[in-house]
């Protein structure tokens, strides 16, 4: 199980560096005012941030995921692998259940981390050098929120995070399992790494598509009050207001940037984790275990090693 945690840390760090710029674009599009929108779309938002805030504007709030995502991925892959061992049988249903369990547990870290990230990404919108910075960094952001609002404040959006992450991670691991089986990723296959990247990227896209409307609500709730005005009293109020003002399109804001980010981030994460686990297990003298094509997914390597 220790290997799962280490592999998750490595995969998480790699994923953050690859995808953070598009995450900033996603959040800006999700929470921008409908009445006075600053951005027309994904690429306009990207260009505007670079032009108005420099390239560093795309990396606002990166400290929070750099601190948190390594632990989150360690928890996710560790819990998922352990859950698969407890369930015993490697079936699609068990893959989903193990992934869902991992997704639910990591929300304890994920919610505060994303709150700090979202607040930092919204700070100084359109300003190259913000004259008044409310927060110095992500940690300072969380400390200030805690002092002002307590535990409830730093867990703002927790329910919507749980609703998003639990089925999202179930779909995530299930998709990767199905794709690696279908592609026939074998250790001796010269195209194994491209196949792993392809499977991981598509698994990430499937996961986001399955829960994206909830992510929009979560982002809006966590960004609520940044300008000193609270617009939403809760999840249902946010849903109702979003539907009344924008219709169904409101729940797809930022989807393009999310999918552009999802493929490289999750391709990098899954391939890194899988290859690390394969290398370490072979190095530990586990070559006598027959690794079936479907056993290349991190969770399946563990099932094989039972």
């Amino acid at each position: 199980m220790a290997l799962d945690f280490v592999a998750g840390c490595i995969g998480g760090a790699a994923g953050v560096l690859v995808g953070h710029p598009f995450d900033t674009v996603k959040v800006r599009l999700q929470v921008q005012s409908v009445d006075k929108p600053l951005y027309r779309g994904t690429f306009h938002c990207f260009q505007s941030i670079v032009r108005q805030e420099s390239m560093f504007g795309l990396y606002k709030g990166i400290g929070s995921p750099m601190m948190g995502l390594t632990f989150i991925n360690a928890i996710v892959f560790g819990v998922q692998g352990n859950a698969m061992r407890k369930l015993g049988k490697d079936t699609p249903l068990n893959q989903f259940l193990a992934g869902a369990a991992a997704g639910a547990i990591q929300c304890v870290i994920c919610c505060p981390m994303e709150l700090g990230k979202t607040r930092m990404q919204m700070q100084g919108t359109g300003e190259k050098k913000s004259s008044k910075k409310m927060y110095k960094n992500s940690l300072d952001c969380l400390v200030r929120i805690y002092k002002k609002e307590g535990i409830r404040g730093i867990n703002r959006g927790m329910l919507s995070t749980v609703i998003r992450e639990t089925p999202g991670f179930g779909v995530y691991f299930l998709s990767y399992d199905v794709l690696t089986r279908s592609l026939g990723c074998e250790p001796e296959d010269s195209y194994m790494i491209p196949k792993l990247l392809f499977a991981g990227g598509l698994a990430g896209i499937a996961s986001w598509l399955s829960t994206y409307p909830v992510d929009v609500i979560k982002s809006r709730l966590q960004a609520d009050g940044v300008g000193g005005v609270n617009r939403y009293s809760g999840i249902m109020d946010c849903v109702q207001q979003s539907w009344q003002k924008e219709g169904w399109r409101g729940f797809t804001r930022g989807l393009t940037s999310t999918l552009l980010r999802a493929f490289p981030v999750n391709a990098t994460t899954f391939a890194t984790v899988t290859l690390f686990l394969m290398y370490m297990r072979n190095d530990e003298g586990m070559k006598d275990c027959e690794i079936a094509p479907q056993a290349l997914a991190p969770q399946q390597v563990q099932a094989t090693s039972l």
Side-chain angles (χ1 to χ4, degrees):
M1 186 174 177
L3 283 180
D4 305 321
F5 281 98
V6 175
C9 286
I10 296 172
V16 172
L17 294 173
V18 171
H20 192 78
F22 278 108
D23 185 67
T24 301
V25 173
K26 172 185 80 80
V27 171
R28 293 282 182 91
L29 289 171
Q30 286 178 330
V31 304
Q32 71 173 341
S33 171
V34 182
D35 301 320
K36 296 180 180 180
L38 294 174
Y39 313 112
R40 295 191 298 270
T42 298
F43 295 105
H44 179 249
C45 180
F46 192 96
Q47 292 172 345
S48 297
I49 293 174
V50 173
R51 186 177 63 252
Q52 297 169 355
E53 306 170 46
S54 80
M55 284 295 295
F56 293 107
L58 296 170
Y59 289 91
K60 284 183 177 179
I62 195 172
S64 183
M66 283 299 288
M67 289 187 296
L69 272 181
T70 51
F71 294 108
I72 286 175
N73 277 276
I75 292 171
V76 166
F77 284 96
V79 171
Q80 198 274 344
N82 196 46
M84 282 301 295
R85 283 193 290 271
K86 294 291 185 183
L87 292 169
K89 196 172 181 181
D90 185 4
T91 64
L93 177 60
N94 285 349
Q95 292 285 352
F96 179 85
L97 293 175
I105 291 172
Q106 58 87 43
C107 288
V108 177
I109 297 176
C110 177
C111 182
M113 181 210 77
E114 293 207 349
L115 175 63
K117 173 182 68 70
T118 299
R119 293 292 178 91
M120 287 297 296
Q121 288 172 331
M122 294 303 298
Q123 182 171 257
T125 300
E127 301 176 8
K128 194 162 189 176
K129 287 187 178 180
S130 181
S131 55
K132 291 183 180 180
K133 287 187 177 181
M134 186 176 294
Y135 311 116
K136 297 177 183 176
N137 50 51
S138 299
L139 182 59
D140 178 60
C141 174
L142 291 176
V143 170
R144 286 175 177 270
I145 292 173
Y146 176 75
K147 287 180 178 178
K148 186 177 180 180
E149 305 175 52
I151 293 292
R152 186 175 181 179
I154 62 173
N155 285 298
R156 180 187 293 269
M158 177 62 80
L159 180 57
S160 55
T161 301
V162 173
I163 295 172
R164 181 194 70 175
E165 300 289 79
T166 303
F169 272 98
V171 172
Y172 189 47
F173 282 96
L174 173 61
S175 301
Y176 188 66
D177 172 62
V178 171
L179 287 165
T180 50
R181 290 175 188 270
S182 302
L183 292 171
C185 303
E186 301 180 10
E188 64 274 10
D189 188 348
S190 58
Y191 296 103
M192 183 190 70
I193 293 178
K195 287 180 179 179
L196 291 177
L197 290 169
F198 183 69
L202 287 186
I205 288 176
S207 175
W208 275 109
L209 286 175
S210 67
T211 58
Y212 191 76
V214 183
D215 183 67
V216 174
I217 299 303
K218 181 202 70 69
S219 294
R220 292 183 175 184
L221 289 172
Q222 291 187 326
D224 194 32
V226 170
V229 180
N230 292 95
R231 293 187 296 169
Y232 311 115
S233 59
I235 293 177
M236 291 310 300
D237 182 48
C238 183
V239 171
Q240 289 173 353
Q241 288 194 43
S242 299
W243 179 264
Q244 288 172 0
K245 292 181 179 179
E246 306 166 73
W248 65 269
R249 291 183 182 276
F251 300 98
T252 63
R253 301 290 184 196
L255 181 59
T256 301
S257 58
T258 300
L259 298 184
L260 287 172
R261 167 182 174 266
F263 191 92
V265 167
N266 293 287
T268 303
T269 300
F270 256 128
T272 301
V273 171
T274 301
L275 293 171
F276 176 82
L277 287 173
M278 288 175 61
Y279 174 79
M280 293 302 294
R281 282 185 163 76
N282 284 338
D283 196 49
E284 287 179 348
M286 300 184 68
K287 295 178 182 178
D288 55 322
C289 295
E290 287 187 16
I291 303 178
Q294 65 270 26
L296 285 175
Q299 65 278 13
Q300 294 165 327
V301 173
Q302 295 155 11
T304 306
S305 64
L306 282 170

